Amino acid sequence: MLSVTGAGRAQSAPVAPMAENVRVDYARVLNVEPVYETLRATRAEKVCDQPAPPKPQPKDEEGRLARMWDSVKGVFTDNDKPKQAAPAAPRCRTVPVAKEFQRPIAYDVDYMYKGMKYRSRLLEDPGTRLRIRISVMPYEAAPVAVP
């Protein structure tokens, strides 16, 4: 015997979630543009000023006899020889130097699948073909509340 108590209730069976239909296909890559990250760094470098090289002293007398006399004269006395200045030590200082580095962090990829153009940001350059995931599910509109 079937008995109904109170107002009739509409019972709905629990709806199982729809299974997703998934497949993998390939799209043709049209363009790939790298996205760069710019890193700025400052470091201290040692910079030295080079002293000017000493200028050669002009000789008053030229010739073989004058050169021989200068060498003989240098053996007996050092007073007549002109003294050469000691080379100046280079002056060094620490200077901050700014450097910039760029590295690719992502790729903006334009691709075409079945006549439609798409753009995605990927971590790697895909090459000429991009493997894509195709998912198909029925569209269910949100239920309309009846007052």
Side-chain angles (χ1 to χ4, degrees), residues 2-5 7-15:
L2 183 65
S3 69
V4 177
T5 60
R9 290 186 226 173
Q11 293 183 357
S12 61
V15 178

Side-chain angles (χ1 to χ4, degrees), residues 76-139:
F76 296 109
T77 177
D78 280 341
N79 294 341
D80 295 339
K81 219 177 211 184
K83 301 252 180 186
Q84 291 185 358
R91 292 184 171 182
C92 296
R93 62 190 183 279
T94 303
V95 179
V97 177
K99 297 199 178 204
E100 283 190 0
F101 304 96
Q102 286 191 334
R103 65 177 183 164
I105 58 170
Y107 296 90
D108 286 337
V109 180
D110 295 327
Y111 57 96
M112 183 177 285
Y113 180 72
K114 294 204 176 187
M116 295 290 293
K117 290 184 183 179
Y118 300 93
R119 175 174 264 216
S120 296
R121 183 165 282 187
L122 304 175
L123 293 176
E124 295 179 359
D125 186 349
T128 58
R129 294 186 337 153
L130 176 63
R131 189 174 178 195
I132 57 174
R133 179 180 183 262
I134 310 297
S135 170
V136 180
M137 277 185 68
Y139 175 74

Side-chain angles (χ1 to χ4, degrees), residues 7-43:
R9 290 186 226 173
Q11 293 183 357
S12 61
V15 178
M18 296 290 290
E20 195 174 9
N21 296 313
V22 177
R23 64 185 175 103
V24 176
D25 205 351
Y26 289 90
R28 185 171 53 109
V29 174
L30 303 173
N31 187 28
V32 177
E33 296 175 12
V35 177
Y36 290 103
E37 174 184 35
T38 302
L39 302 172
R40 290 178 180 84
T42 303
R43 70 176 198 192

Side-chain angles (χ1 to χ4, degrees), residues 46-97:
K46 187 176 180 181
V47 176
C48 297
D49 298 329
Q50 295 295 332
K55 295 181 182 177
Q57 304 240 343
K59 294 204 174 207
D60 294 337
E61 302 172 343
E62 289 295 327
R64 193 181 328 171
L65 186 60
R67 287 193 302 269
M68 185 182 72
W69 178 251
D70 284 342
S71 65
V72 171
K73 187 168 59 171
V75 171
F76 296 109
T77 177
D78 280 341
N79 294 341
D80 295 339
K81 219 177 211 184
K83 301 252 180 186
Q84 291 185 358
R91 292 184 171 182
C92 296
R93 62 190 183 279
T94 303
V95 179
V97 177

